[in-house]
Amino acid sequence: MWALRAAVRPGLRLSRVGRGRSAPRAAAPSCPARALAAVGRRSPGNLEGPWGGGRGLRADGGRSRTGDDEEEPEDADENAEEELLRGEPLLPAGTQRVCLVHPDVKWGPGKSQMTRAEWQVAEATALVHTLDGWSVVQTMVVSTKTPDRKLIFGKGNFEHLTEKIRGSPDITCVFLNVERMAAPTKKELEAAWGVEVFDRFTVVLHIFRCNARTKEARLQVALAEMPLHRSNLKRDVAHLYRGVGSRYIMGSESFMQLQQRLLREKEAKIRKALDRLRKKRHLLRRQRTRREFPVISVVGYTNCGKTTLIKALTGDAAIQPRDQLFATLDVTAHAGTLPSRMTVLYVDTIGFLSQLPHGLIESFSATLEDVAHSDLILHVRDVSHPEAELQKCSVLSTLRGLQLPAPLLDSMVEVHNKVDLVPGYSPTEPNVVPVSALRGHGLQELKAELDAAVLKATGRQILTLRVRLAGAQLSWLYKEATVQEVDVIPEDGAADVRVIISNSAYGKFRKLFPG
């Protein structure tokens, strides 16, 4: 039960206390010494556990870590960041047979709009199946009028649910399809059902942890885990000190206060590390701006086909899309060419999810900053999904929550993906582009639309400039603008060059080559 239990495992007398026996009076002074020594090794401020960047998505959060031993330590910050990234699994390891319980709120403020219970269950099932070795063996949709109560369900439904779970020995854990469970609710449900119970936040967070590859994404996941650690802390400390008269060490600071302080210190260190990475990201954006590559941020609901579409638009064979929720957590940029020969950067972003806990969005705010600094947003929608409209509302709501500039939201290009899965599909909305990224349908039309949208969004001009062949003008234009056509005039020793050029680059051209 994460680090607190591990922190006292080496201490013999503390383990007796954990079993409810009275500790000898003389043992009390040794408790802080052993506990603090253990805290240095395994505490919420220094959680140990497997991390890394392999392909497999294991329920224990493990990945093979490669290259760590070969990395040269640049400074103390690098080593400190690696320490922050150590954490114990959020979910149990190995094969799990899951009972999926969905509270169906029939009316009131807790009732979900624009969706149905079966669609919510289908998405929850997909989340479970994202975990290697996990499978849904039973699904129960249970009506409730009181989703905010401690036990969520009414007495009759709760007793019936408990009987079914207790009577099914093949069930090893329960996935309760609610956004967050309070710690007392989790404790009561696990005591009643006899198995571990997980909510949507824990499952999604664990998937995030398994899919995070870069240091920035891993730090953002570690930051998102902090509320979970805090909610479990009080329960774990209460269990640890059951039957003990005094919980204080080091004068007036209790063991729980110590752990809370360590959690605060860890959170502060994570935020500081993310600030350093944010500054590096800002520097990279400035370099891209200097090169004047237009940036297109590709956004959409998770598993809508963003990465597949970027691969189709760029022809980048190194991109390997996966048919999996939250396969992309790390922002990546891929160069592509539009029909005008203009080079653009497509930025692949994290997928969105309905009922995605606000804390997760906050933790990934640094990553989503790239959207705010892009020239154009490309919203990819999976039109084959039965909840395509709800997914669109979820994405737009999240984008509005990022407080993006109004012109950026107004100029957004919407693309309807996976039309090959909908025979005879024809969009009913204006100004959208239907495509099949997998089959290659509609890609040229999409590129033409992006061409026009980028020119409008960036204020670039299409000009015909006369340059001298003997000078450096032509080579400068090839470097700083997009040359579309060169019409050589031999008798004049010149050429008419058709270019796409930004206002700033055109100003530089006139300054460097007057006349």
Side-chain angles (χ1 to χ4, degrees), residues 341 463-469 474 477-478 483-499:
R341 299 183 185 177
L463 301 175
T464 300
L465 304 174
R466 177 157 293 191
V467 302
R468 297 191 303 274
L469 294 176
L474 185 57
L477 288 173
Y478 269 109
V483 176
Q484 292 186 301
E485 187 179 356
V486 179
D487 185 13
V488 178
I489 308 172
E491 60 273 17
D492 294 339
D496 288 334
V497 184
R498 190 167 183 260
V499 296

mmCIF file of all heavy atoms in Angstrom, residues 341 463-469 474 477-478 483-499:
data_model
loop_
_atom_site.group_PDB
_atom_site.id
_atom_site.type_symbol
_atom_site.label_atom_id
_atom_site.label_comp_id
_atom_site.label_asym_id
_atom_site.label_seq_id
_atom_site.Cartn_x
_atom_site.Cartn_y
_atom_site.Cartn_z
ATOM 1 N N ARG A 341 4.268 24.042 -51.816
ATOM 2 C CA ARG A 341 5.664 23.740 -51.489
ATOM 3 C C ARG A 341 6.102 24.371 -50.168
ATOM 4 O O ARG A 341 7.286 24.379 -49.842
ATOM 5 C CB ARG A 341 6.617 24.200 -52.615
ATOM 6 C CG ARG A 341 6.359 23.524 -53.951
ATOM 7 C CD ARG A 341 7.377 23.963 -54.986
ATOM 8 N NE ARG A 341 7.088 23.423 -56.299
ATOM 9 C CZ ARG A 341 7.782 23.692 -57.385
ATOM 10 N NH1 ARG A 341 8.826 24.518 -57.316
ATOM 11 N NH2 ARG A 341 7.457 23.156 -58.548
ATOM 12 N N LEU A 463 4.077 36.419 -53.887
ATOM 13 C CA LEU A 463 4.631 37.527 -54.668
ATOM 14 C C LEU A 463 5.508 37.005 -55.791
ATOM 15 O O LEU A 463 6.062 35.895 -55.714
ATOM 16 C CB LEU A 463 5.464 38.448 -53.764
ATOM 17 C CG LEU A 463 4.769 39.109 -52.571
ATOM 18 C CD1 LEU A 463 5.785 39.877 -51.745
ATOM 19 C CD2 LEU A 463 3.661 40.027 -53.040
ATOM 20 N N THR A 464 5.637 37.806 -56.834
ATOM 21 C CA THR A 464 6.608 37.532 -57.897
ATOM 22 C C THR A 464 7.684 38.614 -57.831
ATOM 23 O O THR A 464 7.385 39.809 -58.003
ATOM 24 C CB THR A 464 5.941 37.514 -59.280
ATOM 25 O OG1 THR A 464 4.938 36.493 -59.304
ATOM 26 C CG2 THR A 464 6.972 37.239 -60.357
ATOM 27 N N LEU A 465 8.910 38.198 -57.530
ATOM 28 C CA LEU A 465 10.026 39.124 -57.340
ATOM 29 C C LEU A 465 11.050 38.931 -58.449
ATOM 30 O O LEU A 465 11.372 37.786 -58.804
ATOM 31 C CB LEU A 465 10.683 38.888 -55.973
ATOM 32 C CG LEU A 465 9.764 38.987 -54.739
ATOM 33 C CD1 LEU A 465 10.533 38.576 -53.485
ATOM 34 C CD2 LEU A 465 9.209 40.398 -54.594
ATOM 35 N N ARG A 466 11.551 40.021 -58.992
ATOM 36 C CA ARG A 466 12.627 39.939 -59.989
ATOM 37 C C ARG A 466 13.965 40.058 -59.270
ATOM 38 O O ARG A 466 14.187 41.010 -58.507
ATOM 39 C CB ARG A 466 12.500 41.027 -61.031
ATOM 40 C CG ARG A 466 13.632 41.027 -62.049
ATOM 41 C CD ARG A 466 13.256 41.702 -63.339
ATOM 42 N NE ARG A 466 12.228 40.946 -64.053
ATOM 43 C CZ ARG A 466 11.869 41.203 -65.334
ATOM 44 N NH1 ARG A 466 12.469 42.189 -66.003
ATOM 45 N NH2 ARG A 466 10.933 40.509 -65.916
ATOM 46 N N VAL A 467 14.826 39.062 -59.466
ATOM 47 C CA VAL A 467 16.129 39.026 -58.788
ATOM 48 C C VAL A 467 17.236 38.878 -59.829
ATOM 49 O O VAL A 467 17.016 38.376 -60.941
ATOM 50 C CB VAL A 467 16.203 37.857 -57.786
ATOM 51 C CG1 VAL A 467 15.099 37.973 -56.743
ATOM 52 C CG2 VAL A 467 16.133 36.509 -58.500
ATOM 53 N N ARG A 468 18.442 39.314 -59.455
ATOM 54 C CA ARG A 468 19.607 39.148 -60.329
ATOM 55 C C ARG A 468 20.186 37.757 -60.121
ATOM 56 O O ARG A 468 20.369 37.294 -58.986
ATOM 57 C CB ARG A 468 20.672 40.203 -60.021
ATOM 58 C CG ARG A 468 20.215 41.643 -60.286
ATOM 59 C CD ARG A 468 21.403 42.615 -60.211
ATOM 60 N NE ARG A 468 22.076 42.525 -58.924
ATOM 61 C CZ ARG A 468 21.706 43.212 -57.842
ATOM 62 N NH1 ARG A 468 20.663 44.035 -57.908
ATOM 63 N NH2 ARG A 468 22.368 43.092 -56.700
ATOM 64 N N LEU A 469 20.504 37.099 -61.205
ATOM 65 C CA LEU A 469 21.046 35.744 -61.103
ATOM 66 C C LEU A 469 22.452 35.742 -60.524
ATOM 67 O O LEU A 469 22.890 34.758 -59.921
ATOM 68 C CB LEU A 469 21.050 35.070 -62.483
ATOM 69 C CG LEU A 469 19.655 34.788 -63.085
ATOM 70 C CD1 LEU A 469 19.802 34.221 -64.498
ATOM 71 C CD2 LEU A 469 18.883 33.816 -62.207
ATOM 72 N N LEU A 474 18.548 35.019 -54.990
ATOM 73 C CA LEU A 474 17.811 33.781 -55.220
ATOM 74 C C LEU A 474 18.090 32.756 -54.121
ATOM 75 O O LEU A 474 17.168 32.113 -53.602
ATOM 76 C CB LEU A 474 18.166 33.208 -56.600
ATOM 77 C CG LEU A 474 17.373 31.961 -57.028
ATOM 78 C CD1 LEU A 474 15.876 32.256 -57.018
ATOM 79 C CD2 LEU A 474 17.811 31.494 -58.418
ATOM 80 N N LEU A 477 16.227 33.686 -50.973
ATOM 81 C CA LEU A 477 14.800 33.367 -51.037
ATOM 82 C C LEU A 477 14.552 31.874 -50.835
ATOM 83 O O LEU A 477 13.583 31.488 -50.167
ATOM 84 C CB LEU A 477 14.220 33.820 -52.378
ATOM 85 C CG LEU A 477 14.053 35.334 -52.566
ATOM 86 C CD1 LEU A 477 13.629 35.657 -53.996
ATOM 87 C CD2 LEU A 477 13.024 35.890 -51.571
ATOM 88 N N TYR A 478 15.427 31.045 -51.399
ATOM 89 C CA TYR A 478 15.274 29.603 -51.189
ATOM 90 C C TYR A 478 15.411 29.249 -49.704
ATOM 91 O O TYR A 478 14.760 28.325 -49.204
ATOM 92 C CB TYR A 478 16.312 28.832 -51.998
ATOM 93 C CG TYR A 478 15.847 28.431 -53.376
ATOM 94 C CD1 TYR A 478 16.366 29.033 -54.516
ATOM 95 C CD2 TYR A 478 14.886 27.438 -53.532
ATOM 96 C CE1 TYR A 478 15.940 28.670 -55.787
ATOM 97 C CE2 TYR A 478 14.451 27.058 -54.796
ATOM 98 C CZ TYR A 478 14.978 27.677 -55.915
ATOM 99 O OH TYR A 478 14.553 27.317 -57.169
ATOM 100 N N VAL A 483 9.935 29.041 -52.401
ATOM 101 C CA VAL A 483 10.025 29.346 -53.829
ATOM 102 C C VAL A 483 9.127 28.376 -54.596
ATOM 103 O O VAL A 483 9.306 27.162 -54.528
ATOM 104 C CB VAL A 483 11.477 29.242 -54.328
ATOM 105 C CG1 VAL A 483 11.536 29.474 -55.842
ATOM 106 C CG2 VAL A 483 12.364 30.243 -53.595
ATOM 107 N N GLN A 484 8.143 28.924 -55.315
ATOM 108 C CA GLN A 484 7.221 28.089 -56.075
ATOM 109 C C GLN A 484 7.642 27.921 -57.535
ATOM 110 O O GLN A 484 7.484 26.844 -58.108
ATOM 111 C CB GLN A 484 5.813 28.701 -56.026
ATOM 112 C CG GLN A 484 5.168 28.650 -54.644
ATOM 113 C CD GLN A 484 3.735 29.132 -54.703
ATOM 114 O OE1 GLN A 484 3.477 30.274 -55.097
ATOM 115 N NE2 GLN A 484 2.800 28.274 -54.329
ATOM 116 N N GLU A 485 8.172 28.974 -58.097
ATOM 117 C CA GLU A 485 8.482 28.917 -59.534
ATOM 118 C C GLU A 485 9.576 29.930 -59.855
ATOM 119 O O GLU A 485 9.591 31.035 -59.287
ATOM 120 C CB GLU A 485 7.215 29.234 -60.338
ATOM 121 C CG GLU A 485 7.377 29.050 -61.835
ATOM 122 C CD GLU A 485 6.080 29.342 -62.593
ATOM 123 O OE1 GLU A 485 5.056 29.612 -61.930
ATOM 124 O OE2 GLU A 485 6.113 29.323 -63.829
ATOM 125 N N VAL A 486 10.484 29.565 -60.746
ATOM 126 C CA VAL A 486 11.554 30.461 -61.189
ATOM 127 C C VAL A 486 11.510 30.547 -62.710
ATOM 128 O O VAL A 486 11.663 29.537 -63.405
ATOM 129 C CB VAL A 486 12.940 29.972 -60.728
ATOM 130 C CG1 VAL A 486 14.033 30.913 -61.236
ATOM 131 C CG2 VAL A 486 12.997 29.855 -59.209
ATOM 132 N N ASP A 487 11.289 31.763 -63.231
ATOM 133 C CA ASP A 487 11.238 32.001 -64.672
ATOM 134 C C ASP A 487 12.480 32.814 -65.059
ATOM 135 O O ASP A 487 12.548 34.021 -64.805
ATOM 136 C CB ASP A 487 9.957 32.762 -65.031
ATOM 137 C CG ASP A 487 9.794 32.937 -66.536
ATOM 138 O OD1 ASP A 487 10.530 32.255 -67.283
ATOM 139 O OD2 ASP A 487 8.952 33.760 -66.943
ATOM 140 N N VAL A 488 13.465 32.147 -65.643
ATOM 141 C CA VAL A 488 14.746 32.781 -65.952
ATOM 142 C C VAL A 488 14.615 33.649 -67.213
ATOM 143 O O VAL A 488 14.020 33.238 -68.222
ATOM 144 C CB VAL A 488 15.847 31.723 -66.150
ATOM 145 C CG1 VAL A 488 17.169 32.390 -66.530
ATOM 146 C CG2 VAL A 488 16.010 30.894 -64.875
ATOM 147 N N ILE A 489 15.213 34.847 -67.122
ATOM 148 C CA ILE A 489 15.257 35.773 -68.270
ATOM 149 C C ILE A 489 16.733 35.951 -68.627
ATOM 150 O O ILE A 489 17.423 36.841 -68.081
ATOM 151 C CB ILE A 489 14.601 37.123 -67.911
ATOM 152 C CG1 ILE A 489 13.203 36.889 -67.316
ATOM 153 C CG2 ILE A 489 14.520 38.030 -69.130
ATOM 154 C CD1 ILE A 489 12.556 38.142 -66.746
ATOM 155 N N PRO A 490 17.279 35.123 -69.543
ATOM 156 C CA PRO A 490 18.733 35.109 -69.801
ATOM 157 C C PRO A 490 19.268 36.449 -70.286
ATOM 158 O O PRO A 490 20.356 36.876 -69.883
ATOM 159 C CB PRO A 490 18.887 34.026 -70.868
ATOM 160 C CG PRO A 490 17.644 33.207 -70.794
ATOM 161 C CD PRO A 490 16.566 34.134 -70.349
ATOM 162 N N GLU A 491 18.519 37.112 -71.159
ATOM 163 C CA GLU A 491 19.043 38.347 -71.737
ATOM 164 C C GLU A 491 19.213 39.449 -70.691
ATOM 165 O O GLU A 491 20.029 40.365 -70.871
ATOM 166 C CB GLU A 491 18.135 38.847 -72.880
ATOM 167 C CG GLU A 491 16.694 39.155 -72.492
ATOM 168 C CD GLU A 491 15.779 37.931 -72.562
ATOM 169 O OE1 GLU A 491 16.321 36.796 -72.587
ATOM 170 O OE2 GLU A 491 14.549 38.122 -72.606
ATOM 171 N N ASP A 492 18.463 39.382 -69.614
ATOM 172 C CA ASP A 492 18.583 40.391 -68.554
ATOM 173 C C ASP A 492 19.455 39.916 -67.401
ATOM 174 O O ASP A 492 19.733 40.703 -66.469
ATOM 175 C CB ASP A 492 17.197 40.765 -67.999
ATOM 176 C CG ASP A 492 16.342 41.469 -69.049
ATOM 177 O OD1 ASP A 492 16.913 42.017 -70.011
ATOM 178 O OD2 ASP A 492 15.103 41.461 -68.896
ATOM 179 N N GLY A 493 19.873 38.634 -67.435
ATOM 180 C CA GLY A 493 20.648 38.083 -66.320
ATOM 181 C C GLY A 493 19.850 38.093 -65.029
ATOM 182 O O GLY A 493 20.394 38.301 -63.945
ATOM 183 N N ALA A 494 18.524 37.877 -65.169
ATOM 184 C CA ALA A 494 17.646 37.961 -64.010
ATOM 185 C C ALA A 494 16.619 36.832 -64.060
ATOM 186 O O ALA A 494 16.610 36.007 -64.989
ATOM 187 C CB ALA A 494 16.943 39.313 -63.962
ATOM 188 N N ALA A 495 15.772 36.796 -63.096
ATOM 189 C CA ALA A 495 14.717 35.784 -63.049
ATOM 190 C C ALA A 495 13.536 36.344 -62.268
ATOM 191 O O ALA A 495 13.694 37.130 -61.321
ATOM 192 C CB ALA A 495 15.213 34.509 -62.384
ATOM 193 N N ASP A 496 12.345 35.960 -62.699
ATOM 194 C CA ASP A 496 11.129 36.263 -61.950
ATOM 195 C C ASP A 496 10.832 35.058 -61.041
ATOM 196 O O ASP A 496 10.644 33.937 -61.540
ATOM 197 C CB ASP A 496 9.941 36.518 -62.881
ATOM 198 C CG ASP A 496 10.077 37.859 -63.593
ATOM 199 O OD1 ASP A 496 10.751 38.754 -63.041
ATOM 200 O OD2 ASP A 496 9.515 38.000 -64.690
ATOM 201 N N VAL A 497 10.829 35.336 -59.765
ATOM 202 C CA VAL A 497 10.677 34.253 -58.786
ATOM 203 C C VAL A 497 9.330 34.405 -58.065
ATOM 204 O O VAL A 497 9.044 35.441 -57.458
ATOM 205 C CB VAL A 497 11.826 34.280 -57.748
ATOM 206 C CG1 VAL A 497 11.712 33.090 -56.800
ATOM 207 C CG2 VAL A 497 13.168 34.282 -58.452
ATOM 208 N N ARG A 498 8.513 33.342 -58.140
ATOM 209 C CA ARG A 498 7.221 33.336 -57.438
ATOM 210 C C ARG A 498 7.434 32.683 -56.078
ATOM 211 O O ARG A 498 7.857 31.528 -55.987
ATOM 212 C CB ARG A 498 6.179 32.561 -58.244
ATOM 213 C CG ARG A 498 4.763 32.695 -57.731
ATOM 214 C CD ARG A 498 3.781 32.171 -58.777
ATOM 215 N NE ARG A 498 2.400 32.337 -58.362
ATOM 216 C CZ ARG A 498 1.663 31.364 -57.849
ATOM 217 N NH1 ARG A 498 2.186 30.153 -57.687
ATOM 218 N NH2 ARG A 498 0.396 31.592 -57.525
ATOM 219 N N VAL A 499 7.170 33.444 -55.031
ATOM 220 C CA VAL A 499 7.466 32.961 -53.682
ATOM 221 C C VAL A 499 6.265 33.170 -52.750
ATOM 222 O O VAL A 499 5.428 34.037 -52.982
ATOM 223 C CB VAL A 499 8.689 33.689 -53.069
ATOM 224 C CG1 VAL A 499 9.946 33.398 -53.844
ATOM 225 C CG2 VAL A 499 8.444 35.187 -52.956
#
